[in-house]
Amino acid sequence: MAVLECKGLSKRYGHTQALDRVDLAVEPGRIVGLLGPNGSGKTTLIKLANGLLTPSEGEILVCGMKPGKESHALVSYLPERTSIPLWMTAGQLLDFYQDFYKDFRRDAAEEMLQHLDISPKQRIKQMSKGTREKVQLIVVMSRAAKLYLLDEPIGGVDPATRDYILSTIIGNYDPEAAVVISTHLISDVEKVLDDVIFINQGRVMLQSSVDQIREEKGMSVDELFREVFKC
């Protein structure tokens, strides 16, 4: 069964069509790049999968269920903007996640904090923007979820941090789970992706495996993206 499935999914905000009859499926064990220019519908799709928005038409299913209380327990979501409470210390944030999520693997989170030399006693307010982003990603990836929805996880961080974040994503998810990474920084994430979904103006332009693109088109995902979306 697909971890995430959309059937004729549409979303409108007033007269603006954010998603237009989207059909797609994300299978277990895959890292999928949701790729498109800014304003293409990526964040809307992620918010629908997380139950933060409701469809205008069609349906979206997480592990065969409509987004709701049961599916929330299976989804780990990283929003585009850092949303962790600034007054907490890193350790208090781990306490909070442990209380809130039954599937939170505290040992994994502590190991990653230690690897990055982030003290559990340090207040999030005192951290740099990049460090806050790392901490938020650590708690999101330390859940044993079935679907990880990561909205621009590498948007504002330096190349070294970017590499660490990508290795964290690869090393911390269950083979039965799926990871959806929404980004426009294709060349940076391409090496970790199994599949890609190109989206533009609310429509799916392409859904393919990375291997298929390289074999059939003889180009990288980044090269194909530039060709499909050239101005």
Side-chain angles (χ1 to χ4, degrees):
M1 185 195 351
V3 178
L4 176 66
E5 191 171 10
C6 302
K7 299 174 184 173
L9 180 69
S10 294
K11 179 64 182 175
R12 284 184 297 276
Y13 302 106
H15 296 298
T16 305
Q17 188 85 27
L19 290 176
D20 188 9
R21 298 187 299 272
V22 167
D23 294 305
L24 62 85
V26 173
E27 300 298 329
R30 309 293 281 179
I31 299 179
V32 180
L34 181 63
L35 312 177
N38 289 333
S40 56
K42 303 188 300 291
T43 295
T44 296
L45 182 56
I46 281 181
K47 285 184 173 176
L48 284 161
N50 203 37
L52 296 171
L53 297 171
T54 52
S56 302
E57 286 159 22
E59 67 175 348
I60 184 165
L61 302 171
V62 175
C63 298
M65 297 178 282
K66 289 189 176 180
K69 191 177 176 185
E70 285 182 16
S71 75
H72 279 161
L74 305 175
V75 176
S76 195
Y77 168 55
L78 181 83
E80 188 176 1
R81 291 184 178 83
T82 311
S83 62
I84 47 181
L86 298 180
W87 58 267
M88 284 185 176
T89 63
Q92 285 170 327
L93 184 67
L94 267 51
D95 293 340
F96 175 77
Y97 262 71
Q98 195 167 11
D99 288 345
F100 210 77
Y101 296 107
K102 289 178 186 165
D103 63 359
F104 185 65
R105 300 169 299 174
R106 187 177 185 119
D107 54 342
E110 286 175 344
E111 191 181 314
M112 284 190 273
L113 283 178
Q114 192 177 353
H115 183 88
L116 288 173
D117 293 326
I118 299 169
S119 165
K121 294 177 181 173
Q122 188 178 1
R123 288 203 182 278
I124 291 159
K125 187 165 62 177
Q126 295 165 335
M127 295 174 184
S128 68
K129 182 174 181 284
T131 303
R132 284 180 200 169
E133 290 189 10
K134 288 179 203 171
V135 170
Q136 180 156 309
L137 184 82
I138 283 169
V139 290
V140 166
M141 294 310 297
S142 294
R143 285 185 53 204
K146 289 289 176 215
L147 176 62
Y148 298 88
L149 298 169
L150 312 178
D151 198 355
E152 296 287 357
I154 57 171
V157 296
D158 59 87
T161 302
R162 208 169 277 175
D163 287 345
Y164 180 76
I165 285 175
L166 293 173
S167 64
T168 300
I169 291 166
I170 297 170
N172 285 276
Y173 84 104
D174 178 329
E176 289 303 301
V179 181
V180 175
I181 304 174
S182 161
T183 188
H184 58 280
L185 298 169
I186 317 306
S187 58
D188 292 302
V189 299
E190 181 169 343
K191 62 187 174 191
V192 305
L193 301 178
D194 299 307
D195 303 308
V196 293
I197 297 165
F198 283 4
I199 186 168
N200 194 29
Q201 296 180 334
R203 291 184 177 176
V204 172
M205 315 279 288
L206 172 87
Q207 182 168 11
S208 173
S209 76
V210 172
D211 289 343
Q212 204 174 354
I213 288 170
R214 287 183 187 137
E215 283 166 23
E216 292 179 7
K217 310 272 188 193
M219 55 175 72
S220 69
V221 174
D222 189 43
E223 287 165 341
L224 180 61
F225 183 87
R226 287 169 194 273
E227 188 172 291
V228 171
F229 293 106
K230 67 177 170 229
C231 298

